[in-house]
Amino acid sequence: MAQALSEEEFHRMQAQLLELRTQNYQLSDDLRKNTAELIAFRLKTSTQEKDLTKALKALNKSKKAQEVDALLSENEMLLGKLHSQEEDFRLQNSTLMQELSKVQQNHIPAVYQLYSRHLKGRGLIVELAN
């Protein structure tokens, strides 16, 4: 049933066992070092992600500030155009009102005379003798 191992096989198996234990210790040590390194990298990555998030927020705020500045500038320009058009309109309206006043002053007596003649021709106005 049980075979006896020769001394040479026993020493060979002992050497293999010793080599396997050494490899196991070395692998355990490597695993511990790699785990510590992984944790360090994860912490560093986390910090860098936070820094990136802060930088992106600052960049977005800067872009928004630039957009607001552009809108304010455009608003100022449009207000200037509006005031200029209002002034042009006031001047044009004033000129038209002056011309209308002149036309009325020059033509009302003539229109009154024509209207009076028309009414006289129909016999609606009777002239009084002086």
Side-chain angles (χ1 to χ4, degrees), residues 4-110:
L5 290 174
S6 69
E7 195 173 320
E8 180 181 319
E9 286 179 338
F10 178 76
H11 286 295
R12 188 173 47 82
M13 288 182 96
Q14 244 186 347
Q16 281 180 344
L17 181 60
L18 185 59
E19 185 178 327
L20 288 174
R21 280 185 180 170
T22 304
Q23 285 178 355
N24 188 30
Y25 290 138
Q26 183 64 41
L27 290 173
S28 292
D29 190 44
D30 289 347
L31 177 61
R32 200 170 44 253
K33 287 178 184 176
N34 288 340
T35 302
E37 190 176 347
L38 177 62
I39 291 171
F41 282 138
R42 284 184 178 166
L43 287 174
K44 185 176 180 180
T45 302
S46 176
T47 302
Q48 288 175 343
E49 285 176 350
K50 288 177 185 176
D51 291 345
L52 177 62
T53 301
K54 287 179 186 178
L56 289 174
K57 285 181 182 178
L59 181 62
N60 284 336
K61 284 182 182 180
S62 174
K63 285 181 181 178
K64 286 179 183 177
Q66 289 174 351
E67 290 173 3
V68 168
D69 286 343
L71 289 173
L72 288 174
S73 176
E74 182 181 4
N75 193 31
E76 297 256 342
M77 184 225 16
L78 291 173
L79 280 174
K81 282 184 177 181
L82 177 64
H83 291 306
S84 175
Q85 288 176 349
E86 285 177 344
E87 188 58 37
D88 290 346
F89 174 75
R90 281 190 201 102
L91 179 62
Q92 185 180 21
N93 189 42
S94 174
T95 303
L96 288 173
M97 292 303 286
Q98 289 172 357
E99 289 179 16
L100 179 62
S101 177
K102 287 178 186 176
V103 167
Q104 285 177 339
Q105 288 174 0
N106 293 336
H107 292 95
I108 285 181

Side-chain angles (χ1 to χ4, degrees), residues 113-129:
Q113 284 180 345
L114 286 174
Y115 186 66
S116 293
R117 284 186 199 155
H118 175 71
L119 291 177
K120 283 182 190 176
R122 293 188 154 207
L124 297 173
I125 292 182
V126 178
E127 287 190 37
L128 298 175

